Amino acid sequence: MPTYHYRCKNCSYDFTAHQSFEDDPITVCPECGQEQVRKIYSAVPIEFKGSGFYRTDGASKSSGK
Ligand SMILES: [Zn+2]
């Protein structure tokens, strides 16, 4: 299950949450209760292999886990 990183724009509280792709993103801050939470997309390295484009897209792998 992927881990998402969130940060509250109101109080700067940041946290991670384990969620599946089907889960709704968290919008309410558990710390201050404000609806100011934004998901932070971490920099996932994209590999380029060979001459063509090869993008590692985790969303396409639905089997297992
Ligand atoms: Zn907050």
Side-chain angles (χ1 to χ4, degrees):
M1 195 172 283
T3 303
Y4 295 105
H5 191 186
Y6 292 92
R7 174 169 291 174
C8 176
K9 295 174 94 174
N10 184 53
C11 68
S12 297
Y13 179 71
D14 69 31
F15 59 100
T16 55
H18 297 279
Q19 295 185 286
S20 72
F21 289 111
E22 292 82 22
D23 284 346
D24 291 330
I26 294 169
T27 56
V28 177
C29 175
E31 189 70 12
C32 70
Q34 296 295 307
E35 222 174 299
Q36 296 289 329
V37 174
R38 294 294 178 267
K39 186 184 283 186
I40 298 169
Y41 292 94
S42 55
V44 178
I46 298 172
E47 285 186 63
F48 293 96
K49 294 180 180 177
S51 56
F53 290 107
Y54 186 88
R55 195 160 61 92
T56 52
D57 193 346
S60 63
K61 296 176 183 176
S62 58
S63 63
K65 292 185 181 172

